[in-house]
Amino acid sequence: MRTEAEAAGPQLEPGDFVQLPVPIIQQLYHWDCGLACSKMVLRYLGQLDDGEFEGALQELRLTRSIWTIDLAYLMSHFGVRHRFCTQTLGVDKGYKNQSFYRKHFDTEETRVNQLFAQAKSCKVLVEKCTVSVQDIQMHLAQGHVAIVLVNSGVLHCDLCSSPAKYCCFAPRGHRCFCRTPDYQGHFIVLRGYNRATSSIFYNNPAYADRMCSTSISNFEEARTSYGTDEDILFVFLDS
């Protein structure tokens, strides 16, 4: 005769399941997913003040073109301990022909490269490095969170409605780009994982009312797609 524990299936060890209480904040436009993710992180850290946030955007001169390095500067502005990992310390010139980057590439290249060049003096921690899923899980297991750049055309939430019914990556009223074959950059906030089901939990700023989940394999495909530079901004709770 089985015990109740045996009937319930294999028991998860501490660290096998993590789901952090990261609040969900919806993006307002098609371009501000990174800013919405930053707000989620700051609120999770107990540091979000809407007035101060708007002041920071003006001081850092952030416009509708938001790169991961901009989010790192935002974290630094608020004194938040962070670590920005990427494959390219600057702008990859190969992206100039990508439709997602083409419109603003020439004007943004100089600005973004300058941000990378000044990062150290501005106390923005940037590293050229490769990050594994195990690194990410270890970070989350300690109560920390991360903002990740993904290809929204690849990332698929296992909990959301089908793309035909609701677009996962654009607020209502905006053009849905879920099904385009081209790269479409989108920021999400990682908030946990389940090793038993090989799942990653995240907040998608396109939504205001739900946590999303996908398989680790799908997450890896989305975050390593050409165009992302494998950008990941680790944010630490003890800031």
Side-chain angles (χ1 to χ4, degrees):
M1 186 174 180
R2 294 192 298 171
T3 65
E4 289 185 11
E6 290 172 331
Q11 298 300 298
L12 294 176
E13 296 294 328
D16 282 347
F17 181 91
V18 174
Q19 191 176 119
L20 303 174
V22 181
I24 301 170
I25 297 177
Q26 189 174 31
Q27 63 191 91
L28 300 176
Y29 311 99
H30 70 279
W31 54 267
D32 67 335
C33 55
L35 300 183
C37 286
S38 297
K39 284 185 174 182
M40 292 188 223
V41 168
L42 291 171
R43 182 165 291 174
Y44 174 67
L45 298 176
Q47 297 193 34
L48 179 61
D49 177 280
D50 289 336
E52 290 182 7
F53 190 83
E54 290 302 316
L57 298 186
Q58 293 180 20
E59 185 173 330
L60 295 173
R61 299 179 181 179
L62 298 186
T63 60
R64 293 189 177 188
S65 181
I66 304 295
W67 295 59
T68 318
I69 188 69
D70 291 313
L71 306 186
Y73 270 78
L74 255 180
M75 293 301 116
S76 179
H77 178 90
F78 285 102
V80 173
R81 190 159 71 93
H82 62 279
R83 179 184 174 221
F84 171 26
C85 296
T86 183
Q87 293 296 299
T88 306
L89 296 176
V91 176
D92 185 336
K93 288 186 177 293
Y95 295 161
K96 185 171 184 176
N97 296 320
Q98 289 273 321
S99 59
F100 181 79
Y101 289 102
R102 189 180 301 132
K103 184 177 180 181
H104 302 288
F105 189 91
D106 290 334
T107 56
E108 286 292 277
E109 183 180 15
T110 299
R111 182 187 75 86
V112 171
N113 283 338
Q114 188 173 22
L115 289 177
F116 273 94
Q118 297 174 345
K120 187 175 182 180
S121 62
C122 294
K123 297 182 180 179
V124 175
L125 180 57
V126 183
E127 296 179 31
K128 181 179 180 180
C129 57
T130 298
V131 177
S132 69
V133 170
Q134 291 72 29
D135 294 330
I136 294 171
Q137 290 175 330
M138 187 179 302
H139 181 77
L140 294 169
Q142 297 175 66
H144 309 313
V145 292
I147 299 175
V148 182
L149 180 61
V150 297
N151 183 351
S152 66
V154 172
L155 188 68
H156 301 291
C157 176
D158 296 331
L159 304 178
C160 292
S161 304
S162 64
K165 183 178 180 182
Y166 189 94
C167 180
C168 294
F169 304 100
R172 291 177 182 176
H174 290 280
R175 179 176 64 90
C176 174
F177 49 76
C178 286
R179 298 192 169 200
T180 176
D182 297 330
Y183 167 78
Q184 291 292 338
H186 186 66
F187 290 105
I188 61 174
V189 179
L190 300 188
R191 59 181 292 181
Y193 60 86
N194 185 342
R195 280 204 177 101
T197 59
S198 295
S199 301
I200 287 284
F201 304 137
Y202 63 95
N203 286 355
N204 181 345
Y207 287 135
D209 59 353
R210 70 196 68 183
M211 179 190 77
C212 291
S213 175
T214 191
S215 66
I216 286 178
S217 60
N218 178 247
F219 169 67
E220 283 293 274
E221 183 183 2
R223 81 175 183 94
T224 60
S225 292
Y226 182 72
T228 66
D229 259 340
E230 298 185 29
D231 283 4
I232 178 166
L233 179 59
F234 291 109
V235 179
F236 297 85
L237 186 61
D238 54 342
S239 296

